[in-house]
């Protein structure tokens, strides 16, 4: 080893002693390099053997440097056994129908691997009480439920959706939510359909002036009825009148973590409006309340927008966790019904969605706008100076938004609009949009004006439907409070 000190590729001395030491240094370097290569080859062989053993489903016999076997059974602690018992049932319970069981039998290796992966103990699992494994099992179960399992026969189909009371809806609300509800109402008349005005959610950012709050709730209800929601078949109600939903929200909160709620996109976006120490608790916890809205009615289907996918994942997570923690099949695993139309953007700022929070009134078309307001807003909508009508959302965002809006009005595709608008200029496109939007809105506006002349009738409809909704949720909560141990 002393020769390492004299190693040099350009020696400055020809002394024989130095040459000997230099030669010994070279030999030492060669031995180190050879040892490293042999170690790397051995580790690669171990890794290949472990992969082969996992692929075959057997236990690895390869030992690590401490002589311990590296396989699924390496660590057996009481906590690990608890994790295994707690997590596996949801994975196996996903498919309960004959079709689901047949699908499961066709994939035994996949299911076995998923179960072993979820249940494999680790130091993190043991420290965190199995939450990591539960999260993995939830993702696996949700994926299997959406792609392989047939709907559970234990839970009859129930549809639930909701909308925040922002007053009179605009076209974005109509195409994204109201029109899909009308289709459900028409196509599935025998399926219970609960439509909630989410007034509890409306205060998640803080208090709202009382007069404005009541005004917005009333006009949202009147607008929904005017747009075609039939209270005799669709249970239209105010969610604040069902206190059991808040109780269930508290129960579900025991299954949720702050870190997961912090990662939701809407929380990140809206929390930026507040000082770091001033973010309301309601903004953080309202996705749990949203999940309670659905699970309180044991809904199997939830019409949502494409931007609600992460909230649906959270809802699935909570339903699976509750079923695992307290009672098998207490809640169904809801499926999302996503609107096929593109999200409608602001007429003045097409990079943003059409919204009541838009600072410009001309950025949105309300369902109660008269013909002059509709024409003016369409005429002054943002466009560009390029000739022709082409659908290019990336480069011609404003024109693409006008095409999307006209396609939604006609219930067709943007490609069909471009084909029909061949030879048009932007002015003609805006004129066609104004004319056809007025034809769509005029009947809704007329019914709205009639309905709002008798406010007591609107409140009578709401109160009647709220009794129906409360009876349904009461049945659910009797099961929940007993399963949790409150009774």
């Amino acid at each position: 080893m002393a020769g390492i000190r004299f190693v040099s590729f350009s020696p400055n001395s020809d002394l024989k002693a130095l040459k000997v030491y230099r030669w010994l240094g070279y030999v030492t370097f060669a031995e180190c390099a050879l040892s490293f290569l042999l170690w790397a080859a051995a580790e690669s062989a171990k890794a290949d053997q472990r992969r082969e053993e996992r692929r075959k489903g057997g236990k690895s016999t390869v030992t690590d440097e401490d002589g311990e076997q590296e396989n699924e059974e390496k660590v057996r602690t009481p906590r690990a056994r608890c994790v295994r018992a707690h997590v596996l049932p949801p994975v196996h319970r996903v498919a309960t129908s004959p079709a689901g069981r047949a699908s499961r039998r066709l994939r035994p290796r996949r299911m076995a691997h998923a179960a072993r992966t979820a249940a494999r103990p680790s130091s993190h699992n043991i420290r965190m009480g199995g939450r990591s494994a539960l999260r993995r099992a939830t993702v696996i179960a949700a994926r299997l439920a959406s792609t392989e399992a047939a709907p559970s026969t234990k839970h009859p189909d129930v549809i639930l959706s909701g909308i925040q009371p922002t007053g009179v809806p605009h076209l974005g609300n109509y195409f994204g939510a109201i029109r899909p509800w009308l289709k459900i109402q028409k196509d599935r008349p025998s399926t219970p359909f609960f439509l909630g005005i989410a007034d509890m959610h409306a205060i998640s950012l803080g208090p709202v002036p009382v007069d404005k709050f009541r005004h917005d709730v009333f006009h949202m209800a009147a607008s929904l009825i005017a747009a075609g929601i039939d209270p005799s078949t669709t249970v239209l109600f105010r969610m604040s009148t069902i206190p059991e939903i808040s109780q269930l929200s508290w129960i579900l909160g025991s299954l949720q973590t702050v870190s997961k709620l912090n990662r939701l996109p809407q929380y990140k976006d809206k929390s930026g409006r507040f000082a770091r120490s001033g973010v309301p608790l309601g903004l953080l916890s309202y996705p749990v309340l949203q999940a309670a809205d659905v699970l309180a009615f044991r809904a199997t289907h939830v019409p949502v927008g494409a931007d609600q996918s992460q909230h649906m994942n959270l809802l699935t997570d909570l339903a699976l966790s509750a079923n695992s923690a307290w009672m098998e099949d207490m809640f169904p695993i809801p499926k999302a019904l996503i609107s096929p139309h593109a999200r409608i953007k602001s007429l003045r700022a097409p990079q943003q969605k059409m919204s009541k929070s838009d600072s410009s009134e001309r950025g949105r078309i309300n369902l109660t706008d008269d013909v002059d307001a509709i024409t003016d807003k369409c005429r002054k909508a943002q466009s560009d100076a390029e000739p022709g009508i082409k659908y290019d959302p990336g480069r011609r965002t404003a024109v693409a938004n006008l095409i999307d809006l006209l396609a939604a009005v006609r219930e067709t595709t943007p490609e069909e609009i471009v084909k029909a608008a061949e030879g048009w200029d932007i002015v003609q496109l805006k004129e066609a949009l104004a004319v056809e939007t007025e034809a769509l809105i005029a009947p809704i506006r007329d019914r709205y004006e009639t309905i709002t002349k008798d406010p007591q009738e609107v409140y009578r409809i709401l109160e009647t439907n709220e009794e129906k909704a409360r009876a349904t949720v009461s049945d659910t909560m009797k099961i929940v409070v007993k399963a949790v141990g409150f009774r």
Side-chain angles (χ1 to χ4, degrees), residues 161-164 169-184 193 195 220 224 227 229 303-305 337 339-341 344:
S161 193
I163 187 169
Q164 287 205 28
H170 50 71
L171 281 185
N173 300 136
Y174 181 80
F175 294 128
I178 299 174
R179 180 183 274 174
W181 294 339
L182 298 177
K183 180 174 175 57
I184 291 171
F193 182 19
L195 179 54
M220 175 59 74
L224 293 174
I229 296 298
V304 295
L337 302 176
S339 173
H341 283 288
I344 303 302

PDB file of all heavy atoms in Angstrom, residues 161-164 169-184 193 195 220 224 227 229 303-305 337 339-341 344:
ATOM      1  N   SER A 161     -75.593  14.727  -7.365  1.00  0.00           N
ATOM      2  CA  SER A 161     -74.715  15.802  -7.811  1.00  0.00           C
ATOM      3  C   SER A 161     -75.079  17.063  -7.055  1.00  0.00           C
ATOM      4  O   SER A 161     -76.081  17.103  -6.322  1.00  0.00           O
ATOM      5  CB  SER A 161     -74.834  16.025  -9.326  1.00  0.00           C
ATOM      6  OG  SER A 161     -73.776  16.840  -9.790  1.00  0.00           O
ATOM      7  N   GLY A 162     -74.266  18.087  -7.203  1.00  0.00           N
ATOM      8  CA  GLY A 162     -74.515  19.332  -6.485  1.00  0.00           C
ATOM      9  C   GLY A 162     -73.936  20.520  -7.216  1.00  0.00           C
ATOM     10  O   GLY A 162     -73.087  20.377  -8.108  1.00  0.00           O
ATOM     11  N   ILE A 163     -74.383  21.701  -6.822  1.00  0.00           N
ATOM     12  CA  ILE A 163     -73.899  22.938  -7.416  1.00  0.00           C
ATOM     13  C   ILE A 163     -73.910  24.025  -6.350  1.00  0.00           C
ATOM     14  O   ILE A 163     -74.837  24.090  -5.532  1.00  0.00           O
ATOM     15  CB  ILE A 163     -74.772  23.359  -8.638  1.00  0.00           C
ATOM     16  CG1 ILE A 163     -74.156  24.559  -9.353  1.00  0.00           C
ATOM     17  CG2 ILE A 163     -76.214  23.623  -8.226  1.00  0.00           C
ATOM     18  CD1 ILE A 163     -74.809  24.847 -10.699  1.00  0.00           C
ATOM     19  N   GLN A 164     -72.878  24.838  -6.332  1.00  0.00           N
ATOM     20  CA  GLN A 164     -72.817  25.908  -5.348  1.00  0.00           C
ATOM     21  C   GLN A 164     -73.781  27.035  -5.722  1.00  0.00           C
ATOM     22  O   GLN A 164     -73.954  27.337  -6.912  1.00  0.00           O
ATOM     23  CB  GLN A 164     -71.394  26.460  -5.225  1.00  0.00           C
ATOM     24  CG  GLN A 164     -70.452  25.520  -4.512  1.00  0.00           C
ATOM     25  CD  GLN A 164     -69.278  26.248  -3.872  1.00  0.00           C
ATOM     26  OE1 GLN A 164     -69.373  27.409  -3.492  1.00  0.00           O
ATOM     27  NE2 GLN A 164     -68.169  25.544  -3.744  1.00  0.00           N
ATOM     28  N   PRO A 169     -77.216  30.779 -12.949  1.00  0.00           N
ATOM     29  CA  PRO A 169     -76.100  30.105 -13.636  1.00  0.00           C
ATOM     30  C   PRO A 169     -75.768  30.771 -14.969  1.00  0.00           C
ATOM     31  O   PRO A 169     -76.586  31.485 -15.559  1.00  0.00           O
ATOM     32  CB  PRO A 169     -76.623  28.680 -13.852  1.00  0.00           C
ATOM     33  CG  PRO A 169     -77.814  28.549 -12.957  1.00  0.00           C
ATOM     34  CD  PRO A 169     -78.388  29.913 -12.812  1.00  0.00           C
ATOM     35  N   HIS A 170     -74.562  30.507 -15.462  1.00  0.00           N
ATOM     36  CA  HIS A 170     -74.154  30.991 -16.777  1.00  0.00           C
ATOM     37  C   HIS A 170     -74.032  29.809 -17.735  1.00  0.00           C
ATOM     38  O   HIS A 170     -74.283  28.649 -17.347  1.00  0.00           O
ATOM     39  CB  HIS A 170     -72.846  31.779 -16.694  1.00  0.00           C
ATOM     40  CG  HIS A 170     -71.751  31.074 -15.950  1.00  0.00           C
ATOM     41  ND1 HIS A 170     -71.100  29.954 -16.452  1.00  0.00           N
ATOM     42  CD2 HIS A 170     -71.194  31.318 -14.744  1.00  0.00           C
ATOM     43  CE1 HIS A 170     -70.199  29.548 -15.598  1.00  0.00           C
ATOM     44  NE2 HIS A 170     -70.222  30.349 -14.537  1.00  0.00           N
ATOM     45  N   LEU A 171     -73.644  30.079 -18.975  1.00  0.00           N
ATOM     46  CA  LEU A 171     -73.596  29.006 -19.972  1.00  0.00           C
ATOM     47  C   LEU A 171     -72.589  27.914 -19.603  1.00  0.00           C
ATOM     48  O   LEU A 171     -72.785  26.746 -19.936  1.00  0.00           O
ATOM     49  CB  LEU A 171     -73.239  29.585 -21.351  1.00  0.00           C
ATOM     50  CG  LEU A 171     -74.366  30.254 -22.127  1.00  0.00           C
ATOM     51  CD1 LEU A 171     -73.881  30.671 -23.508  1.00  0.00           C
ATOM     52  CD2 LEU A 171     -75.573  29.333 -22.257  1.00  0.00           C
ATOM     53  N   GLY A 172     -71.500  28.291 -18.937  1.00  0.00           N
ATOM     54  CA  GLY A 172     -70.550  27.275 -18.494  1.00  0.00           C
ATOM     55  C   GLY A 172     -71.193  26.287 -17.542  1.00  0.00           C
ATOM     56  O   GLY A 172     -70.972  25.071 -17.640  1.00  0.00           O
ATOM     57  N   ASN A 173     -71.997  26.791 -16.595  1.00  0.00           N
ATOM     58  CA  ASN A 173     -72.739  25.907 -15.685  1.00  0.00           C
ATOM     59  C   ASN A 173     -73.749  25.048 -16.450  1.00  0.00           C
ATOM     60  O   ASN A 173     -73.925  23.864 -16.149  1.00  0.00           O
ATOM     61  CB  ASN A 173     -73.494  26.727 -14.641  1.00  0.00           C
ATOM     62  CG  ASN A 173     -72.605  27.583 -13.779  1.00  0.00           C
ATOM     63  OD1 ASN A 173     -72.901  28.745 -13.521  1.00  0.00           O
ATOM     64  ND2 ASN A 173     -71.486  27.048 -13.322  1.00  0.00           N
ATOM     65  N   TYR A 174     -74.396  25.661 -17.430  1.00  0.00           N
ATOM     66  CA  TYR A 174     -75.449  24.949 -18.156  1.00  0.00           C
ATOM     67  C   TYR A 174     -74.873  23.764 -18.934  1.00  0.00           C
ATOM     68  O   TYR A 174     -75.368  22.635 -18.826  1.00  0.00           O
ATOM     69  CB  TYR A 174     -76.171  25.897 -19.103  1.00  0.00           C
ATOM     70  CG  TYR A 174     -77.301  25.238 -19.867  1.00  0.00           C
ATOM     71  CD1 TYR A 174     -78.542  25.035 -19.272  1.00  0.00           C
ATOM     72  CD2 TYR A 174     -77.120  24.799 -21.177  1.00  0.00           C
ATOM     73  CE1 TYR A 174     -79.578  24.413 -19.959  1.00  0.00           C
ATOM     74  CE2 TYR A 174     -78.138  24.177 -21.876  1.00  0.00           C
ATOM     75  CZ  TYR A 174     -79.366  23.984 -21.263  1.00  0.00           C
ATOM     76  OH  TYR A 174     -80.379  23.355 -21.946  1.00  0.00           O
ATOM     77  N   PHE A 175     -73.818  24.012 -19.722  1.00  0.00           N
ATOM     78  CA  PHE A 175     -73.261  22.940 -20.547  1.00  0.00           C
ATOM     79  C   PHE A 175     -72.467  21.928 -19.723  1.00  0.00           C
ATOM     80  O   PHE A 175     -72.442  20.741 -20.056  1.00  0.00           O
ATOM     81  CB  PHE A 175     -72.369  23.525 -21.643  1.00  0.00           C
ATOM     82  CG  PHE A 175     -73.122  24.352 -22.642  1.00  0.00           C
ATOM     83  CD1 PHE A 175     -72.714  25.636 -22.951  1.00  0.00           C
ATOM     84  CD2 PHE A 175     -74.250  23.859 -23.270  1.00  0.00           C
ATOM     85  CE1 PHE A 175     -73.399  26.406 -23.857  1.00  0.00           C
ATOM     86  CE2 PHE A 175     -74.959  24.625 -24.179  1.00  0.00           C
ATOM     87  CZ  PHE A 175     -74.529  25.908 -24.482  1.00  0.00           C
ATOM     88  N   GLY A 176     -71.817  22.393 -18.658  1.00  0.00           N
ATOM     89  CA  GLY A 176     -70.996  21.491 -17.868  1.00  0.00           C
ATOM     90  C   GLY A 176     -71.763  20.670 -16.859  1.00  0.00           C
ATOM     91  O   GLY A 176     -71.326  19.571 -16.495  1.00  0.00           O
ATOM     92  N   ALA A 177     -72.917  21.177 -16.382  1.00  0.00           N
ATOM     93  CA  ALA A 177     -73.632  20.487 -15.304  1.00  0.00           C
ATOM     94  C   ALA A 177     -75.116  20.298 -15.601  1.00  0.00           C
ATOM     95  O   ALA A 177     -75.639  19.187 -15.553  1.00  0.00           O
ATOM     96  CB  ALA A 177     -73.454  21.257 -13.991  1.00  0.00           C
ATOM     97  N   ILE A 178     -75.820  21.397 -15.917  1.00  0.00           N
ATOM     98  CA  ILE A 178     -77.287  21.326 -16.004  1.00  0.00           C
ATOM     99  C   ILE A 178     -77.747  20.447 -17.161  1.00  0.00           C
ATOM    100  O   ILE A 178     -78.644  19.607 -16.995  1.00  0.00           O
ATOM    101  CB  ILE A 178     -77.879  22.743 -16.103  1.00  0.00           C
ATOM    102  CG1 ILE A 178     -77.515  23.547 -14.855  1.00  0.00           C
ATOM    103  CG2 ILE A 178     -79.390  22.684 -16.281  1.00  0.00           C
ATOM    104  CD1 ILE A 178     -77.940  25.008 -14.909  1.00  0.00           C
ATOM    105  N   ARG A 179     -77.164  20.630 -18.330  1.00  0.00           N
ATOM    106  CA  ARG A 179     -77.603  19.802 -19.463  1.00  0.00           C
ATOM    107  C   ARG A 179     -77.336  18.312 -19.216  1.00  0.00           C
ATOM    108  O   ARG A 179     -78.219  17.477 -19.501  1.00  0.00           O
ATOM    109  CB  ARG A 179     -76.919  20.266 -20.758  1.00  0.00           C
ATOM    110  CG  ARG A 179     -77.346  19.422 -21.966  1.00  0.00           C
ATOM    111  CD  ARG A 179     -76.609  19.845 -23.216  1.00  0.00           C
ATOM    112  NE  ARG A 179     -77.276  20.950 -23.887  1.00  0.00           N
ATOM    113  CZ  ARG A 179     -76.771  21.579 -24.951  1.00  0.00           C
ATOM    114  NH1 ARG A 179     -75.579  21.218 -25.422  1.00  0.00           N
ATOM    115  NH2 ARG A 179     -77.432  22.555 -25.529  1.00  0.00           N
ATOM    116  N   PRO A 180     -76.170  17.901 -18.677  1.00  0.00           N
ATOM    117  CA  PRO A 180     -76.016  16.476 -18.333  1.00  0.00           C
ATOM    118  C   PRO A 180     -77.053  15.992 -17.319  1.00  0.00           C
ATOM    119  O   PRO A 180     -77.503  14.842 -17.392  1.00  0.00           O
ATOM    120  CB  PRO A 180     -74.593  16.411 -17.762  1.00  0.00           C
ATOM    121  CG  PRO A 180     -73.866  17.538 -18.417  1.00  0.00           C
ATOM    122  CD  PRO A 180     -74.883  18.624 -18.554  1.00  0.00           C
ATOM    123  N   TRP A 181     -77.447  16.859 -16.361  1.00  0.00           N
ATOM    124  CA  TRP A 181     -78.487  16.456 -15.405  1.00  0.00           C
ATOM    125  C   TRP A 181     -79.816  16.224 -16.121  1.00  0.00           C
ATOM    126  O   TRP A 181     -80.543  15.286 -15.795  1.00  0.00           O
ATOM    127  CB  TRP A 181     -78.658  17.542 -14.340  1.00  0.00           C
ATOM    128  CG  TRP A 181     -77.466  17.716 -13.453  1.00  0.00           C
ATOM    129  CD1 TRP A 181     -76.471  16.806 -13.223  1.00  0.00           C
ATOM    130  CD2 TRP A 181     -77.136  18.865 -12.685  1.00  0.00           C
ATOM    131  NE1 TRP A 181     -75.544  17.319 -12.362  1.00  0.00           N
ATOM    132  CE2 TRP A 181     -75.915  18.579 -12.014  1.00  0.00           C
ATOM    133  CE3 TRP A 181     -77.733  20.109 -12.490  1.00  0.00           C
ATOM    134  CZ2 TRP A 181     -75.311  19.504 -11.165  1.00  0.00           C
ATOM    135  CZ3 TRP A 181     -77.131  21.032 -11.643  1.00  0.00           C
ATOM    136  CH2 TRP A 181     -75.921  20.732 -10.991  1.00  0.00           C
ATOM    137  N   LEU A 182     -80.121  17.089 -17.081  1.00  0.00           N
ATOM    138  CA  LEU A 182     -81.373  16.918 -17.825  1.00  0.00           C
ATOM    139  C   LEU A 182     -81.366  15.609 -18.616  1.00  0.00           C
ATOM    140  O   LEU A 182     -82.402  14.944 -18.734  1.00  0.00           O
ATOM    141  CB  LEU A 182     -81.585  18.103 -18.770  1.00  0.00           C
ATOM    142  CG  LEU A 182     -81.732  19.484 -18.108  1.00  0.00           C
ATOM    143  CD1 LEU A 182     -81.865  20.572 -19.167  1.00  0.00           C
ATOM    144  CD2 LEU A 182     -82.935  19.509 -17.175  1.00  0.00           C
ATOM    145  N   LYS A 183     -80.208  15.237 -19.136  1.00  0.00           N
ATOM    146  CA  LYS A 183     -80.109  13.975 -19.875  1.00  0.00           C
ATOM    147  C   LYS A 183     -80.312  12.792 -18.933  1.00  0.00           C
ATOM    148  O   LYS A 183     -80.991  11.822 -19.278  1.00  0.00           O
ATOM    149  CB  LYS A 183     -78.736  13.902 -20.561  1.00  0.00           C
ATOM    150  CG  LYS A 183     -78.518  12.630 -21.362  1.00  0.00           C
ATOM    151  CD  LYS A 183     -77.217  12.682 -22.130  1.00  0.00           C
ATOM    152  CE  LYS A 183     -76.926  11.361 -22.838  1.00  0.00           C
ATOM    153  NZ  LYS A 183     -78.008  10.956 -23.755  1.00  0.00           N
ATOM    154  N   ILE A 184     -79.717  12.862 -17.742  1.00  0.00           N
ATOM    155  CA  ILE A 184     -79.922  11.798 -16.748  1.00  0.00           C
ATOM    156  C   ILE A 184     -81.398  11.708 -16.372  1.00  0.00           C
ATOM    157  O   ILE A 184     -81.978  10.614 -16.272  1.00  0.00           O
ATOM    158  CB  ILE A 184     -79.064  12.064 -15.501  1.00  0.00           C
ATOM    159  CG1 ILE A 184     -77.576  11.887 -15.827  1.00  0.00           C
ATOM    160  CG2 ILE A 184     -79.466  11.148 -14.343  1.00  0.00           C
ATOM    161  CD1 ILE A 184     -76.655  12.331 -14.723  1.00  0.00           C
ATOM    162  N   PHE A 193     -82.452  10.299  -8.181  1.00  0.00           N
ATOM    163  CA  PHE A 193     -81.512  11.354  -8.544  1.00  0.00           C
ATOM    164  C   PHE A 193     -81.652  12.494  -7.539  1.00  0.00           C
ATOM    165  O   PHE A 193     -82.687  13.147  -7.472  1.00  0.00           O
ATOM    166  CB  PHE A 193     -81.799  11.831  -9.970  1.00  0.00           C
ATOM    167  CG  PHE A 193     -80.845  12.888 -10.472  1.00  0.00           C
ATOM    168  CD1 PHE A 193     -79.610  13.102  -9.883  1.00  0.00           C
ATOM    169  CD2 PHE A 193     -81.185  13.671 -11.568  1.00  0.00           C
ATOM    170  CE1 PHE A 193     -78.733  14.060 -10.350  1.00  0.00           C
ATOM    171  CE2 PHE A 193     -80.323  14.638 -12.052  1.00  0.00           C
ATOM    172  CZ  PHE A 193     -79.089  14.829 -11.435  1.00  0.00           C
ATOM    173  N   LEU A 195     -80.233  16.112  -6.274  1.00  0.00           N
ATOM    174  CA  LEU A 195     -79.490  17.279  -6.750  1.00  0.00           C
ATOM    175  C   LEU A 195     -79.462  18.317  -5.634  1.00  0.00           C
ATOM    176  O   LEU A 195     -80.483  18.915  -5.287  1.00  0.00           O
ATOM    177  CB  LEU A 195     -80.164  17.851  -7.999  1.00  0.00           C
ATOM    178  CG  LEU A 195     -79.519  19.097  -8.617  1.00  0.00           C
ATOM    179  CD1 LEU A 195     -78.041  18.859  -8.897  1.00  0.00           C
ATOM    180  CD2 LEU A 195     -80.253  19.482  -9.898  1.00  0.00           C
ATOM    181  N   MET A 220     -80.615  30.397  -7.603  1.00  0.00           N
ATOM    182  CA  MET A 220     -80.068  29.162  -8.171  1.00  0.00           C
ATOM    183  C   MET A 220     -81.163  28.113  -8.273  1.00  0.00           C
ATOM    184  O   MET A 220     -81.295  27.432  -9.312  1.00  0.00           O
ATOM    185  CB  MET A 220     -78.913  28.647  -7.309  1.00  0.00           C
ATOM    186  CG  MET A 220     -78.356  27.297  -7.757  1.00  0.00           C
ATOM    187  SD  MET A 220     -77.723  27.300  -9.451  1.00  0.00           S
ATOM    188  CE  MET A 220     -76.202  28.220  -9.229  1.00  0.00           C
ATOM    189  N   LEU A 224     -82.575  26.506 -11.827  1.00  0.00           N
ATOM    190  CA  LEU A 224     -82.524  25.078 -12.137  1.00  0.00           C
ATOM    191  C   LEU A 224     -83.895  24.567 -12.566  1.00  0.00           C
ATOM    192  O   LEU A 224     -84.005  23.787 -13.528  1.00  0.00           O
ATOM    193  CB  LEU A 224     -82.016  24.296 -10.923  1.00  0.00           C
ATOM    194  CG  LEU A 224     -80.556  24.534 -10.531  1.00  0.00           C
ATOM    195  CD1 LEU A 224     -80.230  23.806  -9.223  1.00  0.00           C
ATOM    196  CD2 LEU A 224     -79.613  24.077 -11.635  1.00  0.00           C
ATOM    197  N   ALA A 227     -84.586  25.836 -16.002  1.00  0.00           N
ATOM    198  CA  ALA A 227     -83.778  25.175 -17.034  1.00  0.00           C
ATOM    199  C   ALA A 227     -84.286  23.788 -17.376  1.00  0.00           C
ATOM    200  O   ALA A 227     -83.838  23.198 -18.371  1.00  0.00           O
ATOM    201  CB  ALA A 227     -82.325  25.091 -16.583  1.00  0.00           C
ATOM    202  N   ILE A 229     -85.069  21.198 -14.681  1.00  0.00           N
ATOM    203  CA  ILE A 229     -85.033  20.232 -13.590  1.00  0.00           C
ATOM    204  C   ILE A 229     -86.449  20.048 -13.048  1.00  0.00           C
ATOM    205  O   ILE A 229     -87.104  21.020 -12.654  1.00  0.00           O
ATOM    206  CB  ILE A 229     -84.089  20.701 -12.465  1.00  0.00           C
ATOM    207  CG1 ILE A 229     -82.651  20.774 -12.978  1.00  0.00           C
ATOM    208  CG2 ILE A 229     -84.184  19.778 -11.258  1.00  0.00           C
ATOM    209  CD1 ILE A 229     -82.072  19.451 -13.438  1.00  0.00           C
ATOM    210  N   PRO A 303     -72.258  12.705 -11.333  1.00  0.00           N
ATOM    211  CA  PRO A 303     -71.897  13.552 -12.477  1.00  0.00           C
ATOM    212  C   PRO A 303     -70.952  14.664 -12.025  1.00  0.00           C
ATOM    213  O   PRO A 303     -71.265  15.432 -11.120  1.00  0.00           O
ATOM    214  CB  PRO A 303     -73.247  14.136 -12.926  1.00  0.00           C
ATOM    215  CG  PRO A 303     -74.289  13.272 -12.287  1.00  0.00           C
ATOM    216  CD  PRO A 303     -73.684  12.789 -11.003  1.00  0.00           C
ATOM    217  N   VAL A 304     -69.774  14.737 -12.635  1.00  0.00           N
ATOM    218  CA  VAL A 304     -68.771  15.727 -12.255  1.00  0.00           C
ATOM    219  C   VAL A 304     -68.092  16.267 -13.506  1.00  0.00           C
ATOM    220  O   VAL A 304     -68.186  15.685 -14.591  1.00  0.00           O
ATOM    221  CB  VAL A 304     -67.694  15.140 -11.316  1.00  0.00           C
ATOM    222  CG1 VAL A 304     -68.290  14.739  -9.987  1.00  0.00           C
ATOM    223  CG2 VAL A 304     -66.993  13.962 -11.972  1.00  0.00           C
ATOM    224  N   GLY A 305     -67.377  17.385 -13.331  1.00  0.00           N
ATOM    225  CA  GLY A 305     -66.547  17.914 -14.396  1.00  0.00           C
ATOM    226  C   GLY A 305     -65.207  17.206 -14.431  1.00  0.00           C
ATOM    227  O   GLY A 305     -64.812  16.518 -13.481  1.00  0.00           O
ATOM    228  N   LEU A 337     -69.470  10.315 -13.642  1.00  0.00           N
ATOM    229  CA  LEU A 337     -70.096  10.525 -14.945  1.00  0.00           C
ATOM    230  C   LEU A 337     -69.606  11.885 -15.437  1.00  0.00           C
ATOM    231  O   LEU A 337     -70.049  12.930 -14.964  1.00  0.00           O
ATOM    232  CB  LEU A 337     -71.625  10.513 -14.828  1.00  0.00           C
ATOM    233  CG  LEU A 337     -72.247   9.246 -14.239  1.00  0.00           C
ATOM    234  CD1 LEU A 337     -73.764   9.413 -14.100  1.00  0.00           C
ATOM    235  CD2 LEU A 337     -71.925   8.030 -15.107  1.00  0.00           C
ATOM    236  N   SER A 339     -68.915  14.986 -18.031  1.00  0.00           N
ATOM    237  CA  SER A 339     -69.553  15.663 -19.157  1.00  0.00           C
ATOM    238  C   SER A 339     -68.675  15.558 -20.398  1.00  0.00           C
ATOM    239  O   SER A 339     -67.466  15.778 -20.329  1.00  0.00           O
ATOM    240  CB  SER A 339     -69.788  17.139 -18.808  1.00  0.00           C
ATOM    241  OG  SER A 339     -70.250  17.852 -19.941  1.00  0.00           O
ATOM    242  N   PRO A 340     -69.272  15.243 -21.571  1.00  0.00           N
ATOM    243  CA  PRO A 340     -68.453  15.069 -22.784  1.00  0.00           C
ATOM    244  C   PRO A 340     -67.984  16.376 -23.400  1.00  0.00           C
ATOM    245  O   PRO A 340     -67.062  16.380 -24.209  1.00  0.00           O
ATOM    246  CB  PRO A 340     -69.410  14.337 -23.737  1.00  0.00           C
ATOM    247  CG  PRO A 340     -70.779  14.767 -23.300  1.00  0.00           C
ATOM    248  CD  PRO A 340     -70.694  14.944 -21.806  1.00  0.00           C
ATOM    249  N   HIS A 341     -68.628  17.505 -23.064  1.00  0.00           N
ATOM    250  CA  HIS A 341     -68.280  18.775 -23.703  1.00  0.00           C
ATOM    251  C   HIS A 341     -67.054  19.411 -23.063  1.00  0.00           C
ATOM    252  O   HIS A 341     -66.793  19.252 -21.863  1.00  0.00           O
ATOM    253  CB  HIS A 341     -69.457  19.755 -23.638  1.00  0.00           C
ATOM    254  CG  HIS A 341     -70.528  19.450 -24.641  1.00  0.00           C
ATOM    255  ND1 HIS A 341     -70.379  19.661 -25.988  1.00  0.00           N
ATOM    256  CD2 HIS A 341     -71.764  18.929 -24.489  1.00  0.00           C
ATOM    257  CE1 HIS A 341     -71.487  19.301 -26.630  1.00  0.00           C
ATOM    258  NE2 HIS A 341     -72.339  18.843 -25.733  1.00  0.00           N
ATOM    259  N   ILE A 344     -66.243  25.442 -20.980  1.00  0.00           N
ATOM    260  CA  ILE A 344     -66.464  26.731 -21.635  1.00  0.00           C
ATOM    261  C   ILE A 344     -65.610  27.795 -20.960  1.00  0.00           C
ATOM    262  O   ILE A 344     -65.602  27.922 -19.737  1.00  0.00           O
ATOM    263  CB  ILE A 344     -67.959  27.114 -21.582  1.00  0.00           C
ATOM    264  CG1 ILE A 344     -68.798  26.006 -22.230  1.00  0.00           C
ATOM    265  CG2 ILE A 344     -68.194  28.445 -22.266  1.00  0.00           C
ATOM    266  CD1 ILE A 344     -68.444  25.704 -23.664  1.00  0.00           C
TER     267      ILE A 344
END
